[in-house]
Amino acid sequence: LDQIESSESATGNRAIVVGAGLGGLAAAMRLGAKGYKVTVIDKLDVPGGRGSAIWQDSHRFDLGPTIVTVPQLYKELWAACGRDFAADVDLKALDPFYEIRWPDGTKFVAQQDTDKMRAEVAKIEPRDLAGFDKFLKDSEKRYSKNE
């Protein structure tokens, strides 16, 4: 999208974005900021794609991402659209992030503290600690590259 014409020359141009998931919505925002008249179409009746939810018997079930792991991507998107993310969105850290419960009563509580997370992993399967530690190191490398 960086190669899209400036908004002056794009005025009057139209774009159709297929998919109202997070990627489609981000593309539509960038195109709109460049002056395009954007139409977003999706097979679902609500935007969000895997970032949306379904409701049943007054319970909400998330269909996908439940945490924002790289908030700077949203900040960059807002900036590309001439907006200030912090002024528009009040993003709050939650701790714990979420809790997974199994029918047998086992539960896993995802939280910010690394030692507490390691304890949660070990509680479910101690042999997974090495993999969890590798995941953390790999994530740190990716996060550092994206800052």
Side-chain angles (χ1 to χ4, degrees), residues 54-73:
I54 56 174
W55 292 84
Q56 181 178 344
D57 301 328
S58 70
H59 296 284
R60 176 189 165 125
F61 298 92
D62 291 330
L63 297 180
T66 56
I67 57 175
V68 175
T69 55
V70 192
Q72 69 268 21
L73 294 179

Side-chain angles (χ1 to χ4, degrees), residues 2 12 19 24 31 49 55 66-67 70 73 75 88 96 100 104 106 109 119 123 125 130 143 147:
D2 292 338
L31 287 164
W55 292 84
T66 56
I67 57 175
V70 192
L73 294 179
K75 294 173 185 173
D88 291 339
I100 302 170
D104 69 358
T106 303
V109 180
K123 181 176 71 177
E125 178 51 73
Y143 181 78
E147 277 193 317

Side-chain angles (χ1 to χ4, degrees), residues 72 138-147:
Q72 69 268 21
D138 290 346
S139 297
E140 185 176 10
K141 288 177 192 173
R142 283 189 189 92
Y143 181 78
S144 296
K145 287 180 185 177
N146 288 324
E147 277 193 317

Side-chain angles (χ1 to χ4, degrees), residues 39-97:
T39 300
V40 179
I41 57 175
D42 195 278
K43 66 180 179 180
L44 299 176
D45 60 351
V46 294
R50 292 186 192 146
S52 62
I54 56 174
W55 292 84
Q56 181 178 344
D57 301 328
S58 70
H59 296 284
R60 176 189 165 125
F61 298 92
D62 291 330
L63 297 180
T66 56
I67 57 175
V68 175
T69 55
V70 192
Q72 69 268 21
L73 294 179
Y74 292 100
K75 294 173 185 173
E76 290 169 9
L77 174 60
W78 257 247
C81 296
R83 303 287 304 196
D84 177 10
F85 182 80
D88 291 339
V89 179
D90 186 15
L91 195 60
K92 295 182 187 238
L94 298 178
D95 196 22
F97 303 140

Side-chain angles (χ1 to χ4, degrees), residues 10 25 32 43 69 78 83 102 113 117 121:
L25 293 174
K43 66 180 179 180
T69 55
W78 257 247
R83 303 287 304 196
W102 285 270
D113 183 88
M117 279 293 288
V121 171

